[in-house]
Amino acid sequence: MTKDLHDQGDADPLADLNASPLNPLPGAVWLLLIAILGVEAVLWAASAGFIGGPQAIGWRIEVIQRFGFSSAVQNWMLENRAFPGMHLLRYGTFSFIHGTPMHALFGAVLVAALGKALGDAFGAVRFLLLALLTPILGAICFGLAVGENAQGWLFGAMPMAFALVGGFTWLRWHEAEGDGTRQRRAFAMIGILLAARLGFGLLAETGPGWVAELAAFVIGYGLSAWVLGPGSWRRLRARIRR
């Protein structure tokens, strides 16, 4: 017995030493984080003068203007019924461009925290559909609501994070299985995140970006409930058959 206790005592420190210092994240989550932080690393290095020479200081503004989402551009495309590829690209790229390193870090932390639970539950393909498709739909809603407003620029991972909050809220609501108290608690996270978003906005960001974020939450919740969440598509087909 003494030997067993001694062996257990020896095993615990070894287990701690061998444990990974980072929480294991699904590969799909790492893919998003590498894209978010990789772009930010290049823009930060350029603004600090480490790469690109003196002209690189303006890279961030140039990248935002070229790859950020613009409500005025969307309005122009709808009015002229012309959809150039260079402008359609903005819908997929704006999520990976940020105004400051803090902006990028805040979005990356939320994506990592929510991605762990959703990546495991949804699987890689459905998780990526939720994370990438929902911000595009949120941007469309943002563009329709803002129109020609001079502040109608959208960039950063916050709509993606709110889309994941929508998926996470549905997941917790679904797991509650009719427990009213637990189902109400499932929506507590969106309240906390909105408060955090308000605080962050007062410090580092202004403008109507909250429109896209709120739209992304609603759309993310709806997509999770109808087609992307575990078992959602099967339940939808069963309803249609009935």
Side-chain angles (χ1 to χ4, degrees):
M1 182 176 180
T2 303
K3 183 177 182 301
D4 291 339
L5 291 175
H6 178 71
D7 290 341
Q8 291 174 3
D10 290 342
D12 290 339
L14 289 175
D16 292 338
L17 288 172
N18 291 330
S20 171
L22 298 174
N23 289 329
L25 294 174
V29 180
W30 278 116
L31 187 65
L32 296 178
L33 294 178
I34 290 170
I36 292 170
L37 298 178
V39 171
E40 179 55 37
V42 172
L43 295 179
W44 174 84
S47 64
F50 295 132
I51 61 173
Q55 68 274 16
I57 295 176
W59 279 8
R60 189 183 296 273
I61 294 176
E62 183 180 346
V63 167
I64 289 174
Q65 291 177 340
R66 186 172 179 182
F67 297 104
F69 176 83
S70 168
S71 62
V73 170
Q74 175 174 281
N75 193 59
W76 176 88
M77 289 193 295
L78 293 175
E79 286 182 353
N80 293 277
R81 289 175 173 75
F83 303 93
M86 61 180 292
H87 291 325
L88 293 177
L89 185 64
R90 296 172 183 268
Y91 291 89
T93 55
F94 79 86
S95 296
F96 304 100
I97 306 165
H98 295 82
T100 64
M102 180 186 294
H103 188 197
L105 183 61
F106 191 70
V109 168
L110 288 173
V111 170
L114 295 163
K116 169 60 178 170
L118 291 176
D120 290 339
F122 282 49
V125 174
R126 288 181 295 176
F127 169 78
L128 287 175
L129 284 173
L130 177 67
L132 298 176
L133 177 61
T134 309
I136 293 174
L137 300 176
I140 293 173
C141 295
F142 169 83
L144 293 174
V146 175
E148 294 287 349
N149 192 314
Q151 291 186 317
W153 284 92
L154 184 64
F155 49 89
M158 289 304 295
M160 181 186 296
F162 272 80
L164 297 183
V165 173
F168 185 81
T169 301
W170 173 83
L171 186 64
R172 289 290 174 262
W173 183 89
H174 177 67
E175 290 174 347
E177 294 181 345
D179 186 328
T181 301
R182 290 177 59 197
Q183 287 180 333
R184 285 191 294 273
R185 284 180 191 161
F187 286 87
M189 181 170 232
I190 184 59
I192 295 172
L193 186 57
L194 283 173
R197 170 65 178 84
L198 176 61
F200 180 78
L202 292 175
L203 290 174
E205 186 180 302
T206 59
W210 62 269
V211 175
E213 293 156 11
L214 186 59
F217 169 78
V218 174
I219 295 168
Y221 185 94
L223 286 177
S224 299
W226 285 95
V227 291
L228 295 180
S232 295
W233 179 242
R234 185 180 66 252
R235 288 189 292 273
L236 177 61
R237 285 188 301 174
R239 292 192 193 102
I240 292 173
R241 287 170 180 168
R242 287 199 297 268

